[in-house]
Amino acid sequence: MRLGIGLDQGDLSSDKSLSRWVNLPGLCCQAAGGNPEWADDLAAAWVLYYSAAHLMDKIQDQDEPDRWWQDLGPGIALSAATGLYFSASMALNQLALNPPANSAAIDIVDNFNRNLLIMASGQYRELTGPPQTLEQYWARAEAKSGIFFALACRNGARLATSNAGILSGFQIFGNQIGLLIQILDDLEDILPIPGAKFPGQRKELAYSLPTVYTLTVSSSDVRGQLNTLLGSARSDPVAAQEVIRLINQSGATTYVLFELNRISQEAHKAIHSAALPGEACDQLDELVNGLVNSKPLN
Amino acid sequence: MTLAQVVHQMSTDADFASQLYSNPEAALSKRGLKISKEELAFLLSSRHRVEQEKLDIVSLSNVTNGQWRA
């Protein structure tokens, strides 16, 4: 299970998606009654933490290296990730220097540290193999994507308010955005590897929601069959096609659509319970709509 | 888990799926399953879309591919 906001190429400047998500802390700050500029350091820290975590994740999963460290090896990537973590901490510490963010700085830094620790525990669970039940899947999805987006939203709002009820609403909103992104990212793991003909051959497929749903609801025979097929699908197109057949047969498409609709509704509810009506709230609504705006999803 | 079980049953048992549309409360209680009205509404609309647009997991993935990055 990856956490991705579109920085896979390691080239921040060319990635359109970054501009979409980097504004999230500022929008939440504004929607809670603050000035979006108060969240500039927070947004910088959030993106740097993301970049560090994403890099570490790639090393841990032994993914295809990015171009810049392809020849240099994972050691240099690990070194860069460490630097990114410290840079993120420095950006976060900037909050303490300027009013009005300084009054919330200790609470925000504490919230980041506690939740990054939970993310690290989620990363550890990845080493124990793919989830086998939906309960395990949702726990991991929250511990990775959910918490990460909740950090941006809760702490963006924290710059404007200390009201626990309002902060909880922003935290839930961020969590739901992270879950939606995780599911959409999982769906990409169904598709053929670039240059390949058949879907179902990516190694990440075993961690994806459609697969874990199928494992959860199927009989032990089908579960065993699917786990075996997942082991050989990468090099065997016939096994990959059988994986897709079993996933389709289980009703996974309906389940995934259901969850996308349910979670997006939860996100809308959360933000309307917490945010002040206005332009920022509308933009946060639109961010959710943008995630589920395809014809079969709306 | 119950919701996932309901989805699985309606995908593998045509009679149950038909009963779920016509008399959802009876269909669910007969099998000892329980979901909220809101969940049922989302479920039936999701199922309707899958059937109406003949979606499978690959076509859904193609539709959503990259949209959260765009």
Side-chain angles (χ1 to χ4, degrees):
Chain A
M1 183 185 290
R2 294 186 310 265
L3 165 64
I5 54 173
L7 309 182
D8 291 9
Q9 302 308 311
D11 180 1
L12 307 189
S13 60
S14 68
D15 199 302
K16 285 188 293 183
S17 69
L18 188 61
S19 60
R20 180 178 180 179
W21 296 109
V22 79
N23 293 330
L24 193 56
L27 277 174
C28 290
C29 178
Q30 189 180 355
N35 183 329
E37 290 177 5
W38 299 346
D40 285 352
D41 291 323
L42 177 62
W46 186 63
V47 170
L48 287 165
Y49 276 124
Y50 166 78
S51 303
H54 185 60
L55 195 47
M56 296 281 270
D57 200 33
K58 290 192 91 162
I59 298 165
Q60 179 178 305
D61 295 348
Q62 300 178 4
D63 287 344
E64 199 65 29
D66 294 326
R67 279 192 304 276
W68 69 267
W69 57 279
Q70 203 163 26
D71 299 330
L72 301 167
I76 195 78
L78 198 58
S79 176
T82 308
L84 286 165
Y85 276 121
F86 285 116
S87 302
S89 292
M90 288 170 69
L92 212 51
N93 287 339
Q94 293 295 308
L95 291 172
L97 301 180
N98 301 305
N102 56 351
S103 63
I106 290 176
D107 179 60
I108 289 173
V109 171
D110 183 66
N111 186 265
F112 259 82
N113 288 335
R114 286 176 188 277
N115 284 294
L116 289 170
L117 276 173
I118 297 172
M119 286 181 71
S121 73
Q123 196 66 26
Y124 163 75
R125 270 180 275 181
E126 296 291 281
L127 296 171
T128 62
Q132 295 291 304
T133 66
L134 284 170
E135 190 182 2
Q136 291 171 359
Y137 173 87
W138 290 117
R140 289 188 191 190
E142 290 214 8
K144 293 192 77 177
S145 299
I147 282 181
F148 185 71
F149 281 82
L151 276 177
C153 296
R154 185 266 181 199
N155 291 310
R158 179 64 184 86
L159 293 166
T161 181
S162 59
N163 181 299
I166 292 174
L167 294 179
S168 172
F170 278 95
Q171 178 150 337
I172 292 168
F173 174 75
N175 187 61
Q176 308 295 20
I177 286 198
L179 294 179
L180 287 173
I181 287 176
Q182 185 62 62
I183 295 172
L184 294 171
D185 193 44
D186 283 359
L187 285 173
E188 291 180 18
D189 293 333
I190 297 281
L191 297 172
I193 296 165
K197 189 176 175 186
F198 296 103
Q201 292 197 284
R202 299 188 193 222
K203 67 175 180 181
E204 296 87 358
L205 181 59
Y207 294 80
S208 73
L209 182 59
T211 303
V212 180
Y213 158 82
T214 304
L215 288 169
T216 302
V217 297
S218 297
S219 66
S220 58
D221 284 353
V222 172
R223 204 160 44 240
Q225 189 187 358
L226 182 54
N227 272 321
T228 304
L229 289 165
L230 284 166
S232 54
R234 286 194 78 191
S235 56
D236 180 358
V238 176
Q241 285 176 284
E242 188 60 9
V243 166
I244 297 299
R245 191 187 70 78
L246 290 175
I247 288 173
N248 278 325
Q249 185 179 274
S250 72
T253 311
T254 301
Y255 180 72
V256 171
L257 270 179
F258 167 87
E259 290 296 357
L260 287 170
N261 285 324
R262 183 186 65 81
I263 294 169
S264 63
Q265 284 304 310
E266 290 295 319
H268 286 302
K269 271 188 211 168
I271 201 60
H272 284 278
S273 76
L276 299 169
E279 187 188 343
C281 182
D282 293 345
Q283 286 188 48
L284 291 169
D285 264 336
E286 279 308 307
L287 277 176
V288 177
N289 292 336
L291 289 172
V292 289
N293 68 358
S294 295
K295 196 180 168 200
L297 302 180
N298 57 22
Chain B
M1 179 60 187
T2 302
L3 188 282
Q5 286 172 325
V6 174
V7 175
H8 184 244
Q9 281 236 335
M10 78 187 297
S11 304
T12 54
D13 180 344
D15 287 343
F16 175 68
S18 165
Q19 287 169 27
L20 205 55
Y21 280 111
S22 58
N23 191 348
E25 285 175 12
L28 290 168
S29 69
K30 192 174 165 186
R31 288 163 178 80
L33 299 166
K34 195 171 182 182
I35 59 175
S36 70
K37 284 185 178 171
E38 193 179 26
E39 285 177 324
L40 181 66
F42 279 136
L43 177 56
L44 294 180
S45 73
S46 301
R47 178 71 181 167
H48 182 66
R49 284 190 180 278
V50 166
E51 287 178 341
Q52 194 179 36
E53 297 173 30
K54 299 192 190 319
L55 284 172
D56 64 14
I57 203 66
V58 177
S59 58
L60 178 64
S61 302
N62 274 316
V63 166
T64 59
N65 186 23
Q67 75 179 31
W68 57 274
R69 292 193 180 94

